[in-house]
């Protein structure tokens, strides 16, 4: 929740102070500012994880307690800065998507551009990390931790921004109206309960697709395996976003409570749904009939559900 608020609010504040609001700054100035904001968060992510992982303290002897502390801190800061970077990237490409012609060809082209730009940036980041880690000819355990957690964080950021753009296209396909860049409902738009049911069904389809990717894509190559992980994370996040906005549409259609009361109602409902889903997934993972691989895949679905809850409260605070 904090990461979502920081990432998207930072882009807005950075634009306001540097070039002004989008209405007066113009499209290209706004996009340029958003690009610098995204790059800034990506650099901060790299630096923070390098420091927290102990990768730059090669001369310092670390105890077992130090190792445990490093691992816990990495798990905390990787999630925080991954979500922050993803939210900042989401704001950039959501704005770009809102400015292209509203048809499937152009909207999906923005999705492809987002993935391509992230892939390029990650390649540059990997090259820089390799150069730094290889400066003494030896890559130790802490430098491997830096590499591992940075890649996981990058994957989460890409999945968040890409899935948001895809669900924007799905919502456009259902209603013929493109949502606002951040996913908010455009002024004057009212979805029907049927629209909400269709979007919820799209989320269920995404949930079914996740194990299908494993069955249909038995990949062992390390590089390609990472791309498969992207596909699974994007699918998971698409499902979460579909459920978030289906609840938003459904509550709007049934309760007809616009503004903060409606947004708060959505956040409370989504939180109850999300926590129930997390507890259910945890219970399934604890069953003796599920193996290690199944447990890992089930646990991996907790992160998208937590993002679902975070975005619902972001909507409530922004209403």
């Amino acid at each position: 929740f904090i990461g979502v608020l920081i990432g998207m609010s930072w882009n807005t504040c950075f634009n306001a102070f540097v070039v002004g609001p989008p209405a007066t700054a113009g499209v290209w100035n706004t996009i340029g500012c958003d690009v610098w904001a995204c790059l800034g968060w990506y650099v901060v992510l790299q630096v923070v994880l390098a420091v927290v992982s102990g990768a730059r303290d090669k001369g310092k002897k670390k105890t077992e307690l130090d190792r445990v502390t490093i691992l816990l801190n990495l798990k905390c800061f990787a999630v925080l800065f991954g979500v922050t970077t993803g939210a900042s990237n989401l704001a950039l490409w959501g704005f770009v998507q809102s400015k292209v012609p509203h048809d499937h060809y152009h909207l999906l082209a923005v999705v492809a551009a987002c993935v391509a730009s992230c892939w390029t940036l990650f390649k540059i980041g990997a090259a820089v990390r390799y150069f730094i880690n290889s400066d003494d000819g030896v890559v130790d355990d802490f430098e491997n931790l830096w590499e591992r957690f940075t890649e996981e964080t990058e994957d989460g950021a890409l999945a968040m921004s890409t899935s948001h753009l895809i669900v924007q296209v799905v919502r456009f396909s259902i209603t013929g109206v493109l949502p606002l860049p951040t996913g908010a409902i455009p002024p004057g738009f009212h979805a029907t309960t049927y629209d909400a049911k269709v979007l919820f069904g799209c989320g269920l389809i995404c949930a079914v697709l996740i194990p299908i990717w494993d069955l249909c894509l038995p990949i062992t190559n390390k590089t390609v395996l990472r791309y498969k992980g992207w596909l699974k994370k994007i699918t998971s996040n698409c499902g979460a976003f579909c459920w978030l906005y289906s609840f938003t549409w459904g509550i709007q259609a049934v309760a007809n409570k616009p503004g903060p009361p409606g947004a708060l109602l959505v956040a409370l409902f989504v939180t109850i749904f999300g926590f129930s889903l997390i507890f259910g997934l945890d219970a399934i993972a604890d069953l003796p009939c599920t193996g290690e691989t199944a447990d890992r895949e089930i646990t991996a679905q907790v992160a998208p559900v937590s993002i679902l809850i975070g975005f619902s409260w972001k909507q409530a605070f922004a209403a």
Side-chain angles (χ1 to χ4, degrees):
F1 167 63
I2 294 175
V4 172
L5 279 182
I6 292 175
M8 303 186 79
S9 300
W10 171 256
N11 279 41
T12 303
C13 292
F14 187 68
N15 284 342
F17 280 106
V18 176
V19 296
T24 58
V27 174
W28 290 108
N29 285 336
T30 301
I31 291 175
C33 266
D34 281 341
V35 168
W36 281 112
C38 291
L39 290 176
W41 279 117
Y42 183 72
V43 172
V44 170
L45 180 155
Q46 301 285 337
V47 173
V48 169
L49 294 187
V51 173
V52 173
S53 67
R56 308 320 305 151
D57 296 331
K58 289 191 175 184
K60 183 180 178 182
K61 186 176 181 181
K62 298 178 179 66
T63 64
E64 187 61 32
L65 180 60
D66 291 332
R67 293 173 180 268
V68 173
T69 302
I70 285 172
L71 196 58
L72 291 175
N73 285 336
L74 277 173
K75 290 180 178 180
C76 172
F77 285 104
V79 172
L80 175 61
F81 283 97
V83 173
T84 302
T85 304
S88 181
N89 200 43
L90 180 156
L92 162 64
W93 289 104
F95 179 77
V96 173
Q97 195 178 49
S98 71
K99 296 303 178 182
V100 302
H102 292 181
D103 58 63
H104 289 88
Y105 174 80
H106 288 90
L107 296 177
L108 290 174
V110 174
V111 178
C114 175
V115 174
S117 67
C118 288
W119 179 85
T120 303
L121 186 62
F122 295 168
K123 284 292 185 181
I124 295 172
V128 172
R129 291 194 303 275
Y130 178 79
F131 176 78
I132 294 174
N133 290 338
S134 304
D135 57 354
D136 61 351
V138 178
V139 179
D140 61 23
D141 292 341
F142 300 100
E143 289 171 330
N144 283 327
L145 275 178
W146 180 28
E147 181 69 23
R148 172 191 149 198
F149 275 90
T150 300
E151 284 195 356
E152 290 179 1
T153 305
E154 290 173 342
D155 295 349
L158 177 141
M160 180 192 295
S161 52
T162 305
S163 58
H164 168 77
L165 298 175
I166 292 173
V167 173
Q168 292 282 84
V169 179
V170 173
R171 295 169 69 189
F172 171 76
S173 301
I174 295 172
T175 65
V177 177
L178 185 69
L180 298 180
T182 58
I185 297 174
F189 172 78
H190 295 281
T192 64
T193 53
Y194 175 78
D195 295 333
K197 291 175 183 177
V198 172
L199 191 57
F200 188 85
C202 292
L204 292 178
I205 292 173
C206 290
V208 173
L209 280 175
I210 297 168
I212 292 178
W213 297 140
D214 267 331
L215 295 174
C216 298
L217 301 172
I219 298 168
T220 56
N221 180 274
K222 183 180 178 181
T223 302
V224 182
L225 193 62
R226 187 183 184 191
Y227 298 151
K228 176 184 173 181
W230 288 5
L231 180 62
K232 291 169 64 178
K233 286 185 177 182
I234 290 171
T235 306
S236 299
N237 284 348
C238 280
F241 278 123
C242 283
W243 288 337
L244 168 62
Y245 295 118
S246 70
F247 294 145
T248 304
W249 283 356
I251 290 175
Q252 181 198 55
V254 174
N256 193 25
K257 288 187 177 295
L264 184 60
L265 189 60
V266 170
L268 290 172
F269 189 86
V270 168
T271 301
I272 295 171
F273 172 80
F275 275 110
S276 301
L277 196 57
I278 290 172
F279 283 123
L281 291 171
D282 187 60
I284 294 173
D286 289 339
L287 293 175
C289 59
T290 58
E292 182 180 346
T293 302
D295 291 346
R296 185 171 60 251
E297 294 297 327
I298 292 169
T299 305
Q301 305 314 309
V302 173
V305 176
S306 64
I307 291 175
L308 164 73
I309 297 172
F311 267 89
S312 69
W313 284 101
K314 177 260 173 188
Q315 286 188 160
F317 275 77

